Amino acid sequence: QVSEEFNKTYQLFCGNMPPDPAFQYGIVDYAYNPAFDEPIRSKCVAYKKENEPCLPKLEYGEFGPMWPYRDDSLPYDVYSQGFVCAPGLKCSSDSAAVPNTCIPDSADESTWFDTEETVVRKEHESCDEDSEDPKYVCEDGLVCTSGDYYVLPNTCVQPRPKDICYYGSWWNSNACPKVENNEPGLNWTLAFGAMQRFMILFPSELTNSGQWSYWCPEQATETPYLKTQLEQSHDILYNILKALFPMELFPDETFPTKEELLLSVIGEEFYVITEDCSRNANDILESGTLEGEELASILARAAVYANEPNQIWSLIHFMTYNLPENISEKQVEASKALSTYLSQQFWCSDCRALYTKIIDVVTGPPDEATGDAQAQYWQLAHNLASEHVAATVGGFPLTYGINDQRIIPGEGRYSGQEVRSLQNHFYMLPEVAEAMWRVIPYDCDKEEDSEGRQNRRRAIRRAERRRARRGD
């Protein structure tokens, strides 16, 4: 029994989540509210230069830059991006021909961008390539981000190439499915491996696949609801897999059971040693015996599976890009459930906070019952998440941000370059992602060609921006 005062305090600082202990109402809900989860620190950022993207609401006035904290349209990493034009410049409005761009104070934005000639933009400068008649285009080797890419819209960036994974200090990318298989999609071995990682998604603060309590939760007496939470988690994840996985690509294979997937992660030897969890696993580990060392090795191998997010993204794209042209309501609901699950149950807390912000802004997977609509949502979500990781090395922007225009001093290897030049490439074009993951082509008689789909998406984005400007 928890007091009413505890409930009030808990909801104030943690959002409307079930109170402790062990979040007994259903599966654990650890979706941190970013407004509460972000640390408050100060950080110096450079002004934006002429032609670079900006936010008109972030103007430097008598009291410094004023951050509209409650505006959901702001980028997640607004602090690391800066988005404030340098003195002598102002930010064009949302309704300008090239919106949200630093231009001279004396410029009239209604005519400033008028031109009959094509204007070539450099990296980090604004572009309008998703407009009906683009005039500001990126130079060769760069691509223009889409208007719905809210962390860095309509900006020339270096594209992320296909079939690679980036190493990072917070995750393990040694096993990268698309490095091992350059053909579209995944083969059965890689898909099965990705499903193994998918099945053990669970908040690491509670437990993870490298701890005995994950496999013998009934022994974790300090968290009496852990067994129920894990069972519910496994059921949800397995049902999502069954709804979305394209088994028609593997006619010679049988879809694994939930038990087979989980056992393939930990191995039968774990249950042989623990006698199906009838022996106390923690006592075995602390016994100093060869048996204890073997159990520790088994758990260490299983722990690796819970630190490979590239496997999760690979599986998501493989499943959604290979959905049929018209999908069932059950598949739409499974895609939505997957998005919700990542925001509440992913391994790390700030990963969940970031993803919760993403689905808040882009409103989660669409209701549209087409495979293309679901695949495009997940591609946009991954691009947004990749920008955050590239700009912050996976942590909070104020603490770890490298999306910085300052020049690296000294005489070292990177001296004289901007800090942000060291970022990973984070923006993959939708058509590149589609070529990377889609194995099942749509019926050409029923579905538009690639250029048609791209034009349709651009028209949708333009209409959405027009509605937003009118306040519809």
Side-chain angles (χ1 to χ4, degrees):
Q1 184 69 27
V2 292
S3 69
E4 185 178 353
E5 284 304 311
F6 174 86
N7 278 328
K8 288 181 179 178
T9 306
Y10 189 85
Q11 291 174 12
L12 174 65
F13 289 100
C14 300
N16 295 317
M17 297 187 294
D20 261 344
F23 298 87
Q24 59 264 45
Y25 306 113
I27 61 171
V28 60
D29 185 346
Y30 249 72
Y32 292 160
N33 185 333
F36 301 126
D37 202 33
E38 293 176 10
I40 301 174
R41 296 184 177 90
S42 298
K43 177 183 176 181
C44 296
V45 294
Y47 287 116
K48 289 295 185 181
K49 307 180 182 72
E50 185 172 349
N51 300 330
E52 291 196 342
C54 53
L55 287 174
K57 297 174 183 176
L58 303 185
E59 296 178 353
Y60 196 94
E62 179 182 357
F63 304 105
M66 302 297 292
W67 314 104
Y69 295 103
R70 293 175 177 80
D71 187 342
D72 286 339
S73 67
L74 290 181
Y76 175 81
D77 54 354
V78 59
Y79 307 101
S80 67
Q81 295 280 11
F83 282 116
V84 180
C85 295
L89 300 175
K90 65 181 179 181
C91 195
S92 63
S93 68
D94 290 343
S95 59
V98 182
N100 301 343
T101 300
C102 291
I103 59 177
D105 273 336
S106 59
D108 181 350
E109 72 169 38
S110 65
T111 58
W112 179 257
F113 298 104
D114 292 348
T115 179
E116 296 299 322
E117 304 295 328
T118 298
V119 178
V120 178
R121 295 294 215 185
K122 298 179 180 179
E123 187 175 8
H124 307 303
E125 294 186 341
S126 296
C127 48
D128 68 343
E129 290 186 34
D130 63 354
S131 66
E132 294 180 5
D133 183 24
K135 295 296 185 182
Y136 293 83
V137 301
C138 301
E139 65 182 7
D140 290 345
L142 303 178
V143 297
C144 186
T145 62
S146 61
D148 56 3
Y149 189 62
Y150 78 95
V151 291
L152 202 62
N154 300 112
T155 305
C156 293
V157 299
Q158 295 190 44
R160 177 172 179 167
K162 63 192 291 286
D163 300 334
I164 64 168
C165 284
Y166 291 115
Y167 293 115
S169 55
W170 288 25
W171 63 90
N172 176 13
S173 290
N174 288 316
C176 180
K178 293 308 297 178
V179 170
E180 299 178 42
N181 175 45
N182 296 134
E183 296 298 318
L186 298 175
N187 60 36
W188 178 251
T189 299
L190 294 173
F192 187 89
M195 285 192 284
Q196 290 175 306
R197 278 77 171 178
F198 185 82
M199 282 299 298
I200 58 172
L201 283 170
F202 197 73
S204 293
E205 306 95 301
L206 298 182
T207 187
N208 62 65
S209 60
Q211 298 180 19
W212 59 263
S213 57
Y214 186 93
W215 306 102
C216 297
E218 60 273 20
Q219 296 182 16
T221 55
E222 72 281 2
T223 51
Y225 299 96
L226 185 59
K227 187 175 187 294
T228 300
Q229 292 166 349
L230 284 166
E231 289 173 349
Q232 292 178 330
S233 175
H234 294 152
D235 286 344
I236 290 171
L237 290 167
Y238 188 71
N239 289 338
I240 291 172
L241 280 180
K242 288 181 67 178
L244 299 178
F245 192 83
M247 271 307 293
E248 62 271 23
L249 293 179
F250 307 103
D252 298 330
E253 304 293 343
T254 302
F255 195 73
T257 66
K258 176 179 60 178
E259 293 74 20
E260 286 171 339
L261 283 169
L262 292 169
L263 184 60
S264 68
V265 174
I266 191 62
E268 293 183 2
E269 191 60 26
F270 176 87
Y271 293 108
V272 171
I273 294 174
T274 61
E275 298 178 9
D276 291 330
C277 293
S278 63
R279 296 176 62 191
N280 188 288
N282 195 50
D283 288 347
I284 298 172
L285 287 168
E286 295 181 350
S287 65
T289 63
L290 290 176
E291 191 178 46
E293 291 179 7
E294 184 177 359
L295 192 63
S297 296
I298 291 171
L299 289 170
R301 289 194 298 270
V304 175
Y305 285 74
N307 194 32
E308 298 175 314
N310 74 79
Q311 299 272 348
I312 306 301
W313 281 116
S314 295
L315 181 64
I316 290 172
H317 293 314
F318 177 58
M319 293 193 298
T320 55
Y321 270 112
N322 289 291
L323 288 169
E325 178 181 354
N326 298 304
I327 63 177
S328 67
E329 287 302 317
K330 183 176 181 179
Q331 289 172 315
V332 173
E333 291 305 309
S335 181
K336 290 181 177 180
L338 173 55
S339 187
T340 301
Y341 192 94
L342 292 181
S343 75
Q344 296 183 343
Q345 301 277 83
F346 199 76
W347 291 307
C348 59
S349 59
D350 30 330
C351 305
R352 297 194 296 271
L354 165 68
Y355 194 75
T356 300
K357 180 62 177 178
I358 287 175
I359 61 175
D360 279 348
V361 174
V362 298
T363 66
D367 293 325
E368 188 177 345
T370 67
D372 185 58
Q374 301 302 321
Q376 292 306 319
Y377 165 79
W378 285 104
Q379 175 58 23
L380 173 60
H382 195 177
N383 272 345
L384 291 169
S386 292
E387 190 280 335
H388 171 76
V389 171
T392 66
V393 202
F396 287 110
L398 289 169
T399 310
Y400 303 103
I402 62 169
N403 188 9
D404 197 322
Q405 301 176 63
R406 288 177 296 181
I407 302 300
I408 300 172
E411 300 179 356
R413 177 181 177 183
Y414 300 106
S415 297
Q417 299 182 40
E418 289 185 341
V419 175
R420 64 184 175 182
S421 68
L422 306 182
Q423 291 178 217
N424 295 333
H425 303 155
F426 50 82
Y427 188 80
M428 181 176 287
L429 289 168
E431 54 267 33
V432 175
E434 186 167 343
M436 181 174 169
W437 294 110
R438 189 182 297 285
V439 179
I440 305 175
Y442 288 146
D443 187 334
C444 294
D445 294 331
K446 297 180 181 178
E447 179 67 13
E448 305 153 302
D449 59 18
S450 176
E451 182 179 359
R453 289 198 301 275
Q454 187 173 354
N455 290 336
R456 176 164 54 86
R457 291 169 198 147
R458 287 175 174 171
I460 291 171
R461 288 196 293 266
R462 288 195 298 271
E464 288 175 344
R465 287 198 297 277
R466 286 195 294 271
R467 287 195 298 270
R469 290 167 188 167
R470 293 197 305 266
D472 292 357

